[in-house]
Amino acid sequence: MTALLRYQAALLARSHRWLPPLLLYLALMAIGVQTGEPILDSLGFAAAVLLPVTAWLVRVCVTNEPGAARDCAAAAAGPARVHLAALLTALLAATGLAVVGTAFVTAVSDPRGTRHEDLPVWSAAGAGLLAAVTCVLLGAAVGAVCNRPVLRSTAWAVPTTVLGAFVVLFVGGSPARAAVNGLVNGSRTATVTVPLVPLAVAAVLAAAAMSVACALSARQPGGGT
Amino acid sequence: MRLTGVGRRYGIGGSWVLRGVDLDVRPGSLVRIEGANGSGKSTLLRLLAGIDAPTTGRITGRPRTAFVPERFPAALPFTAIGYLTMLGRVHGLSRSAAASAAALWLERFGAAEHARTRLSELSKGSSQKVAVAQGLLADPGLLVLDEAWTGLDQASRAVLDRAVTDRVAAGATVVYVDHDPGRLAGVPDAVFRVDAGRLVAVASAGTAGAADLRDGLPGPRGRSAARPAGPRVSIEAEGPSGAHLPEGLPGDPVHGPLGPVAPDAPAVHRLTVAAAHSDALLRALLAARPAWHIRAVTTTEPAHVEGEPGR
């Protein structure tokens, strides 16, 4: 699995196809995160942005490898493991983004609530990181079930990924929305809510979505007949 | 490795590409798959390689597998050696073993000077060499070749022929499809044809009837006596007096003693095999204990068919 992860990570890094989702992330962060704003508001925004960005990264990773090269790797390691490695590569890259983003937001934000009450910086940052990881996991889940091998045609996969990401971000009862709202509401009441339940639910959903995608990876039409 | 009642169709209600395939592939056998375009050959190869899963039936006992596609994409952002080393690790080799196997196979295919070239800058033929090297570098127990010779130059085709027979001699299974009916002619232990979604045994040697697939493929030693025409190589080998030829020589050579057998004289034998097996046979003779001395190696006319097979 380590060899597959290294292979997929090298594919992602050298293909430069990570650039568009990264630019989306940077653009949204530039719009939504301002220096000196209340920390929990900005952390909530930074977490929410990661959901569509992660879904896009997953799409990049699972469509990055040309079919014939994927066949070679699949014969050697099994198609499910090859697909899992692609999904995990996207998940790890997005988690890295979550760590860097949280650190950046914590550094530039005002460690106080909306009404200028002082907030514990470290627990705010911790809650922000967990909320970001929650969004990363849900973005990975959306990306996994909205792309190859579940949806093969680009015409279906791209709009479904976009729609899926926004539905999961805004629909009532979504762990992402619960985690982000926990931060934003905490900013008003000057309390830090650690989103443990949303994180756990997101982890279960991501595991289920990735299992479905990996199980289907050996059931796709090949190049020829 | 065994396929039991294997069928494959794409989509619910789609037509069956393959149906009711029963096959028992023994280690150390070379299997050729034939069939018209679109007959389901590639689907069968993908199922054998484990890239694709059967809709019905089971495939059990698959060894460590490598697959070589017909066309290898240039769209990978790696150098030839970088890609091969990474794939060697995916095949289960250590970093140093992967790097040295990658360099070795590029050299064997005459592509050592392209080792540091990006795959996107390689010619079609050179990039196919990378694909073939990928399949061979980890000594797989099952090698599946989907028209892997296509795009290779003449010398590389011969290298691949020999690599295939070496794998088979080492106890691996090799299954291949090739559009050239002369490819490894006379070497396969079994030939099958995919016809209307069914797998049918072909009288591979020209005379033998279709075998019952459930009885499995004949192994390298249990082959029928008939041999098709193909380039063959005769080897004269000299062993210590009274020595017998080693058991299980690669390529199942036709052999017999040369000249009168004297009690104290060295044993001299002539062995004839399909040309693709000759390297493996020479290696086996030289590596035998006691070792055999090679006196002469000659190629024989393709049309010339020898008599009795070796015992």
Side-chain angles (χ1 to χ4, degrees):
Chain A
M1 200 68 210
T2 320
L4 273 176
L5 277 174
R6 195 171 289 135
Y7 171 56
Q8 289 288 345
L11 261 177
L12 175 64
R14 295 182 191 194
S15 72
H16 298 292
R17 289 183 61 199
W18 46 265
L19 199 54
L22 181 69
L23 288 177
L24 172 72
Y25 178 74
L26 294 177
L28 290 174
M29 289 288 276
I31 294 165
V33 176
Q34 312 277 325
T35 315
E37 291 288 304
I39 183 168
L40 288 177
D41 285 337
S42 293
L43 283 173
F45 181 85
V49 162
L50 275 169
L51 201 154
V53 168
T54 307
W56 194 353
L57 271 173
V58 168
R59 173 164 178 79
V60 166
C61 283
V62 301
T63 57
N64 213 2
E65 201 178 2
R70 191 164 59 227
D71 290 347
C72 294
R81 281 154 55 86
V82 170
H83 197 70
L84 181 62
L87 293 173
L88 287 179
T89 302
L91 189 61
L92 289 174
T95 306
L97 217 48
V99 172
V100 174
T102 304
F104 171 76
V105 170
T106 307
V108 303
S109 297
D110 179 20
R112 291 190 289 184
T114 322
R115 301 190 185 104
H116 307 293
E117 308 92 336
D118 282 342
L119 281 168
V121 178
W122 286 110
S123 27
L129 181 62
L130 292 188
V133 172
T134 303
C135 289
V136 163
L137 286 167
L138 288 169
V142 169
V145 295
C146 293
N147 287 289
R148 198 192 64 77
V150 185
L151 292 178
R152 282 180 216 118
S153 133
T154 307
W156 282 105
V158 173
T160 313
T161 306
V162 173
L163 194 68
F166 283 96
V167 165
V168 168
L169 196 50
F170 294 119
V171 77
S174 147
R177 184 174 147 147
V180 172
N181 278 352
L183 294 177
V184 175
N185 293 337
S187 191
R188 256 179 279 144
T189 58
T191 47
V192 174
T193 317
V194 179
L196 285 179
V197 175
L199 179 67
V201 175
V204 170
L205 289 174
M210 288 163 75
S211 308
V212 167
C214 290
L216 286 172
S217 61
R219 297 185 181 278
Q220 51 187 325
T225 44
Chain B
M1 179 176 168
R2 182 184 287 269
L3 282 72
T4 316
V6 165
R8 183 69 169 103
R9 64 175 171 186
Y10 296 116
I12 300 157
S15 60
W16 290 91
V17 180
L18 282 173
R19 207 163 185 189
V21 174
D22 293 298
L23 185 63
D24 193 357
V25 190
R26 291 190 194 154
S29 56
L30 176 63
V31 181
R32 179 185 186 119
I33 308 287
E34 297 176 342
N37 289 339
S39 60
K41 289 181 308 236
S42 288
T43 298
L44 178 61
L45 290 191
R46 294 170 66 82
L47 291 171
L48 283 166
I51 300 165
D52 195 10
T55 313
T56 58
R58 279 180 307 120
I59 300 178
T60 50
R62 180 187 292 111
R64 240 168 20 81
T65 305
F67 175 77
V68 180
E70 177 190 355
R71 263 190 300 273
F72 195 69
L76 286 167
F78 302 120
T79 61
I81 192 95
Y83 171 72
L84 287 175
T85 307
M86 240 177 302
L87 257 280
R89 303 214 68 200
V90 171
H91 278 286
L93 299 180
S94 71
R95 177 188 291 275
S96 57
S100 55
L104 176 74
W105 281 103
L106 282 177
E107 195 180 321
R108 282 190 188 164
F109 283 103
E113 77 271 27
H114 295 312
R116 309 263 159 215
T117 310
R118 294 177 67 86
L119 291 176
S120 56
E121 290 159 17
L122 287 181
S123 69
K124 196 178 154 200
S126 299
S127 119
Q128 186 62 18
K129 289 177 184 178
V130 173
V132 174
Q134 172 275 139
L136 293 165
L137 55 76
D139 295 340
L142 169 67
L143 177 61
V144 179
L145 305 168
D146 191 356
E147 307 216 359
W149 289 265
T150 306
L152 291 182
D153 54 45
Q154 213 57 47
S156 299
R157 288 181 183 187
V159 173
L160 178 54
D161 284 353
R162 283 199 296 276
V164 164
T165 50
D166 279 358
R167 282 317 306 143
V168 172
T173 305
V174 180
V175 183
Y176 74 102
V177 163
D178 199 65
H179 61 267
D180 177 3
R183 173 76 45 223
L184 293 168
V187 185
D189 298 296
V191 180
F192 293 96
R193 167 171 286 277
V194 182
D195 194 3
R198 303 277 176 176
L199 189 64
V200 197
V202 175
S204 66
T207 57
D212 182 15
L213 304 189
R214 281 167 194 82
D215 289 344
L217 303 181
R221 249 61 68 197
R223 208 160 354 158
S224 75
R227 289 161 188 283
R232 300 179 68 76
V233 168
S234 275
I235 296 168
E236 270 179 45
E238 183 183 311
S241 69
H244 293 282
L245 281 172
E247 290 289 315
L249 286 170
D252 192 16
V254 176
H255 65 82
L258 263 181
V261 183
D264 291 332
V268 182
H269 284 262
R270 170 178 281 145
L271 303 97
T272 309
V273 280
H277 280 305
S278 58
D279 280 13
L281 177 58
L282 283 168
R283 201 170 295 141
L285 287 168
L286 291 168
R289 290 287 169 268
W292 285 66
H293 166 62
I294 307 299
R295 296 214 313 203
V297 180
T298 45
T299 46
T300 55
E301 282 299 304
H304 183 66
V305 177
E306 302 279 340
E308 286 297 303
R311 282 174 297 274

